[in-house]
């Protein structure tokens, strides 16, 4: 593989600001980005990525690779938690195993966005429908996670206040990040179809600012991720290993599926990143509410403290190299 | 009069308020963005952007005879999800 | 009238994001935009609209239709509360009638901004002095509201802590939204006159971002408006009817005045929107402080839960059709 | 020592603080952004952008003999505008 | 049980929490963004952007026999930096 | 000197918005920009100024005037507190004298930024390495301040909880504003060197928005500065005089040093502004923590209530005139 890709990624502003945030915590600076500023950027990024994806989806339509790719993505968000659970159950109780499994079945929007930025600097094209895949991978993973809990610990679960399926489904499909992403995607679609004149008026906000806002947000993510490093001691070597090796394995599976789907290298990278990334937004919040028996430090510190930095620093260029090696259309 | 105060995760706030209203509290006040530490570990606001939230501080002034109903309604929630609830004496100014 | 205008308006990003916010509440998503993020956007929109208005006012000067239009706008902000009060007093007590009347005499800056965006997509020109009219309609309505309270309930009013005229006037003229709007207008004027070179340096912030920021803010307005829908049961059929019919009546009066003033269709629409919209920023805050006997649910839920959505969804294109039908210069 | 605590709309906060200072409190603390429910209905932070604001929570530690003056100063405000005021016993750590 | 509450500058919060943890508190809760007035003057949030911060409100529920250790740990900090600390009685709901 | 320069500065948007904020407080408007919105803008400005400085520093390199200028700036941040202390000690106790002295040795990033904007409107070039000077003047001033405290009041200091040198040094070098500034500068350097393609993607955020964001932030600074005016009564005539005369004196010294260094008029103005400005960000926060015996009203109200407004309103054009008169390269 090409080591310059990794270097190239390391010196991009988003990754450098992520490092700056990590460094702030490691050296003991009092730099902090107080709530709700990170929420503002998080809402903005979801809105902008959804809107842009919708615009592009309107142009590409639902033909060709679109539906098979989305279906494959959703299948991965069901499959990954299942085999992750089997691995995790060897060392952890059912609650924690299910919660972490769900986390890895879902996706990290920021990793996806960082991969898009990486592709842009590489001048590799990708399609808007990948955002639809992104949006549709969060809910299945949450549902599988909760099914696993019900299977693994049906009696204990019954002890708590009744948590009806309606609230579980609401949490899966209507949690704020899924809802905003899907909603903005739909708006992008509608606007591209019926109000194309207003697209140009949106772009300074949704498009031009995007890269800078991502960099700013990653500064905060660096701070938060580094604060989680302490929790890793609690997680132990098994979980740390899991949070590097499982993404690598998922990336390999993803690459092979992308090859089967005949995706170009840009879409293939995004597909692989969806498979390899773990959620630290929708899923932890859902698990905190629906599986309070699981320890949040475990699923948050693995997804945010290990897998997320691994993916944006090393993973993205590594997966690109993997794709170049394994995809006939790439390299 | 009694002063009941609860500290619990923001995610369970709606359930707790609903339980209190059914128990018949005359009113309540809520401060969000509360951080802290308890038997279940530390709670910070660092993950607020993810919807995970911090804790909420709930204050209720009510007659002493409402406490039993409140205890019955709130204990299961606090036991299952975590959080603390304490009562002090209070008199209207 | 042209139904495509309504459709056109419905698929514009600001209106779609408003719908998305409403939908979030109706389906039970936990999407929320925590304080003070909406305040940031609200401050930004007032600053930007004032600044742009000031720039344009400097070019148009105070001649021609400018002063008559502003005078007519202020007259409407005195008149509307008076006849609204007479209607409302038939069913409500003096405090509530006065507070709601003041609300409808004043204006909604966001409705105005949405109308400007609508005009831009229609390629219809409008003038900066309309922002001055916007800024000058808030204070008279507040003062009339308080006079109505003093007339209607002089004895009860005396029971509370003394609320001097000085604090009433301060609340009317110096409340934050009026102050920021007028101040930014003055700055725009001064900058256009004496520092034209710095205009270009402001525009990326005040102009380019505007449409996207408006859309983001309307997402929050949709959430807040939908949360008010529950309060409407308390308001009852009379008030709900009032909050649709009164704007329509005010719009008709406004159209006739615009015709008398000889305004072009762009300025006419803005004038009509000022007449037809109701305040949910400055006036409710002023009423909460100076008429605590009135029930905030009533004046907020009517202005924000009914009139505001009605105006931005149906009202703006409807008023445009009205203007096209009744104005000789339009159509 | 006594611990007085007030919960009232942010809009009346300045008037309440002024009244307390005239009554001679040795100090006070204020938490804003408090939501809640009382006889006058629910208070949320949803309209914060409009200047309407939520509630404020005011805490005053003072000698017991100051309470009469505080009661005289604050009761009219709370009766007119709404809000609650309760007193508990407290001792310095 | 006792309810200890502290109000002090956010800048000293870390030192105070560390002292409390060494003293062995079972948990604590913190509200930041508290404004107020005391012997050292007014504290607002106006300078928050500069890192100066406002006050923090700390609540600890603990057994009475922990108070001596807490007093010994916290008194020097409060005397040097300012802030108040009061104790009230509380019982678990 | 040229009075039109002062006028020119007075009608620039940043200064006008500062006035608007001051006016809001003076007339009793309830306009406020709630926390943490000002923090968002403050973080943004530091990030953007650092990043832009880093980009430019990469181009200019460390040759020529760069290192001598930075060394001279650091020397001034050590010297100014020393002679300020001697002046202040004539009327104040050691704690307050040391804290105020440190404040004047350090710098005001917003004054610096406003001076940059002033230079841009004057079409005068300046260099990125001046940002490095800015970043390096904060820490020495904090350290000198604390040394002065130890010298002046060794016994009293000992009464409090032990404040180790490690925490003093961390506060000096790693406080959030120094850290973010230096970090963003380093990122700018790295990106300019290794990832030039991503510069254009950052500029809409870091560059285009800058002037508008500065204006918005100065609206808040005007509010905060005006709220400090009341504290000035406590400060008294001596301190008020100090906070105007000391900057003037420092500006004169700075002008002579700039002349000695052979700086062009743009860099000279920035150098002078660094000498003449006083910190209201890093230093007050550090002093509040490490010298609690000093009265914050004194060092904040002088730096923020007098020196800051003086510099951005009158000082910047005045210093420009001084430079034009005294520098052979200027005028
Ligand atoms: N002893 C205590 N004193 C004050 N607050 C507490 C105490 N124990 C727990 N808490 C608060 O209650 C929250 C939830 O506690 P838990 O989930 O039981 O660990 C903690 O994050 C603290 O904010
Ligand atoms: N019984 C109560 N317990 C706690 N807080 C209350 C209670 N009653 C009222 N409040 C608070 O006081 C605020 C003002 O009450 P009011 O205007 O009287 O409805 C409410 O929004 C609540 O935050
Ligand atoms: N008597 C009091 N009642 C309530 N809060 C107080 C009181 N005295 C001081 N405080 C709070 O403690 C903070 C620090 O006080 P100090 O530094 O001692 O002036 C003040 O800013 C107030 O928020
Ligand atoms: Na995944
Ligand atoms: Na109106
Ligand atoms: Na200086």
């Amino acid at each position: 593989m090409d080591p310059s890709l990794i270097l190239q990624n390391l010196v991009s502003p988003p990754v450098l600001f992520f490092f700056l945030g990590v460094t702030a915590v490691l050296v003991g600076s009092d730099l902090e980005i107080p709530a709700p500023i990170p929420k503002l950027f998080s809402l903005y990024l979801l809105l902008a990525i959804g809107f842009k994806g919708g615009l592009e989806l309107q142009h590409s339509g639902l033909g060709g690779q679109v539906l098979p790719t989305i279906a494959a993505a959703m299948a991965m968000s069901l499959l990954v938690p299942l085999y992750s659970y089997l691995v995790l159950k060897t060392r952890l109780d059912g609650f924690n195993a299910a919660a972490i499994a769900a986390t890895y079945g879902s996706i990290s929007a920021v990793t996806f966005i960082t991969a898009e930025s990486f592709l842009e600097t590489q001048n590799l094209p990708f399609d808007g429908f990948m955002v639809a895949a992104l949006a549709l991978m969060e809910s299945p993973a949450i549902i599988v996670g909760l099914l696993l809990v019900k299977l693994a610990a049906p009696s204990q679960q019954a002890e708590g206040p009744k948590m009806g399926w309606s609230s579980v489904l609401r949490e899966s499909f209507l949690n704020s990040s899924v809802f905003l992403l899907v909603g903005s995607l739909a708006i992008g679609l509608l606007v591209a179809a019926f109000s194309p004149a207003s697209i140009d008026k949106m772009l300074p906000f949704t498009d031009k600012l995007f890269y800078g806002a991502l960099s700013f947000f990653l500064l905060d993510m660096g701070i938060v991720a580094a604060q989680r490093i302490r929790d890793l001691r609690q997680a132990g070597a098994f979980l740390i290993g899991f949070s590097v090796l499982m993404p690598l394995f998922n990336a390999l599976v993803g690459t092979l599926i992308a090859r089967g789907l005949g995706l170009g290298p840009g879409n293939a990278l995004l597909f692989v990143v969806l498979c390899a990334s773990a959620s630290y937004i929708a899923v932890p919040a859902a698990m905190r509410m629906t599986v309070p028996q699981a320890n949040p430090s475990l699923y948050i510190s693995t997804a945010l403290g290990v897998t997320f930095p691994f993916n944006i620093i090393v993973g993205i260029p590594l997966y690109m190299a993997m794709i170049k090696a394994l995809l006939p259309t790439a390299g | 009069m009694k002063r009941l105060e609860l500290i619990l995760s923001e995610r369970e706030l709606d359930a707790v308020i609903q339980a209190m209203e059914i128990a018949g509290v005359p009113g309540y006040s809520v401060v969000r963005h509360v951080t802290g530490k308890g038997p279940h570990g530390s709670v910070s606001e660092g993950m607020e952007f993810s919807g995970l939230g911090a804790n909420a501080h709930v204050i209720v002034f009510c007659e002493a005879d409402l406490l039993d109903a409140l205890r019955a309604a709130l204990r299961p929630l606090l036991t299952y999800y975590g959080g603390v609830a304490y009562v002090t004496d209070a008199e209207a100014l």
Side-chain angles (χ1 to χ4, degrees), chain A residues 205-289:
Chain A
F205 184 75
T206 54
D207 204 71
K208 293 270 180 296
L209 286 190
F210 194 79
Y211 198 72
L214 173 65
S215 301
F216 192 106
F217 185 64
L218 280 170
L219 176 62
D220 183 62
M221 292 293 293
I223 295 173
V224 178
Q227 285 168 340
R228 292 283 155 185
I229 291 174
R230 219 174 316 153
D231 292 346
L232 284 179
R233 238 175 304 153
Q234 215 183 324
F238 171 72
L239 266 188
I240 297 176
F242 175 87
S243 39
V244 170
L245 297 176
M246 183 52 76
L248 282 174
F249 178 71
N250 294 342
L252 186 64
V253 177
T255 306
L256 297 175
I257 295 176
R259 184 192 162 108
L261 290 164
L263 298 180
N267 289 343
L269 181 70
L270 295 181
F271 187 85
V272 167
V273 158
L274 290 177
C275 297
S277 67
S279 171
Y280 45 81
I281 299 205
V283 178
M287 293 297 136
R288 171 77 185 75
M289 201 173 88

Side-chain angles (χ1 to χ4, degrees), chain B residues 26-29 59-61:
Chain B
Y28 55 84
S29 297
I59 301 172
V60 178
F61 294 105

Side-chain angles (χ1 to χ4, degrees), chain A residues 76-77 80 103-108 137 250 273-279:
Chain A
M76 279 301 277
S77 73
V80 170
T103 304
Y104 280 81
S106 181
I107 49 77
S108 152
M137 285 179 79
N250 294 342
V273 158
L274 290 177
C275 297
S277 67
S279 171

Side-chain angles (χ1 to χ4, degrees), chain A residues 53-79:
Chain A
L55 295 182
E56 289 157 19
L57 191 53
Q58 211 283 325
H59 293 300
S60 64
L62 291 179
Q65 302 163 322
V66 177
L67 290 183
T69 306
I70 291 177
M74 290 180 73
M76 279 301 277
S77 73
L78 292 166
L79 257 173

Side-chain angles (χ1 to χ4, degrees), chain A:
Chain A
M1 67 160 286
D2 182 1
S4 85
L5 269 187
I6 291 189
L7 188 74
Q8 195 64 44
N9 190 48
L10 282 182
V11 294
S12 71
V15 174
L16 288 172
F17 277 104
F18 181 80
F19 278 131
L20 189 62
V22 171
T23 309
V25 174
L26 296 184
V27 301
S29 167
D30 60 353
L31 179 64
E32 63 157 354
I33 301 183
I37 297 176
K39 177 91 179 188
L40 165 64
F41 282 86
S42 162
L43 290 170
Y44 164 79
L45 291 174
L46 291 171
L47 185 153
I49 187 94
F51 185 76
K52 290 194 289 179
L55 295 182
E56 289 157 19
L57 191 53
Q58 211 283 325
H59 293 300
S60 64
L62 291 179
Q65 302 163 322
V66 177
L67 290 183
T69 306
I70 291 177
M74 290 180 73
M76 279 301 277
S77 73
L78 292 166
L79 257 173
V80 170
L82 291 176
Y83 60 70
S84 295
Y85 180 78
L86 295 178
V87 174
L88 291 161
K89 196 66 210 299
T90 62
R91 298 289 190 95
L92 300 169
D93 63 75
F95 294 121
N96 280 306
I100 301 175
T103 304
Y104 280 81
S106 181
I107 49 77
S108 152
V110 180
T111 310
F112 181 88
I113 290 168
T114 311
E116 282 194 350
S117 296
F118 174 82
L119 289 173
E120 281 170 12
T121 58
Q122 304 287 314
N123 290 316
L124 286 171
F126 52 88
D127 288 306
F129 66 78
M130 293 309 297
V131 176
L134 164 82
L136 294 172
M137 285 179 79
E138 207 126 32
S139 312
I142 294 177
I143 292 172
V144 172
L146 297 178
L147 283 174
L148 288 170
V149 167
K150 299 233 177 228
L151 290 174
S155 58
Q156 282 159 276
Q157 178 74 353
E159 279 173 36
K162 284 180 293 295
M163 156 72 52
W165 270 102
S166 82
S167 74
V168 166
L169 290 177
R170 189 169 65 218
E171 189 63 28
S172 311
F173 289 106
L174 299 175
N175 74 69
S176 62
S177 61
V178 170
F179 183 85
L180 182 55
L181 200 54
V182 173
S184 303
L185 190 94
I187 291 177
L189 259 171
L190 287 170
V191 168
F194 301 114
S195 183
S198 51
I199 296 176
D200 279 349
K201 295 175 69 184
M202 287 298 282
L203 291 185
F205 184 75
T206 54
D207 204 71
K208 293 270 180 296
L209 286 190
F210 194 79
Y211 198 72
L214 173 65
S215 301
F216 192 106
F217 185 64
L218 280 170
L219 176 62
D220 183 62
M221 292 293 293
I223 295 173
V224 178
Q227 285 168 340
R228 292 283 155 185
I229 291 174
R230 219 174 316 153
D231 292 346
L232 284 179
R233 238 175 304 153
Q234 215 183 324
F238 171 72
L239 266 188
I240 297 176
F242 175 87
S243 39
V244 170
L245 297 176
M246 183 52 76
L248 282 174
F249 178 71
N250 294 342
L252 186 64
V253 177
T255 306
L256 297 175
I257 295 176
R259 184 192 162 108
L261 290 164
L263 298 180
N267 289 343
L269 181 70
L270 295 181
F271 187 85
V272 167
V273 158
L274 290 177
C275 297
S277 67
S279 171
Y280 45 81
I281 299 205
V283 178
M287 293 297 136
R288 171 77 185 75
M289 201 173 88
T290 52
V291 197
Q293 300 90 341
N295 180 353
S297 319
L298 296 187
Y299 50 84
I300 297 174
S301 66
T302 47
L304 187 56
V306 183
T307 304
F308 176 71
F310 175 76
N311 274 334
I312 67 162
I313 296 167
V314 185
I316 291 172
L318 196 70
Y319 307 152
M320 194 70 238
M322 215 187 254
I323 287 164
K324 287 198 176 163
L326 298 178
L327 247 68
T329 58

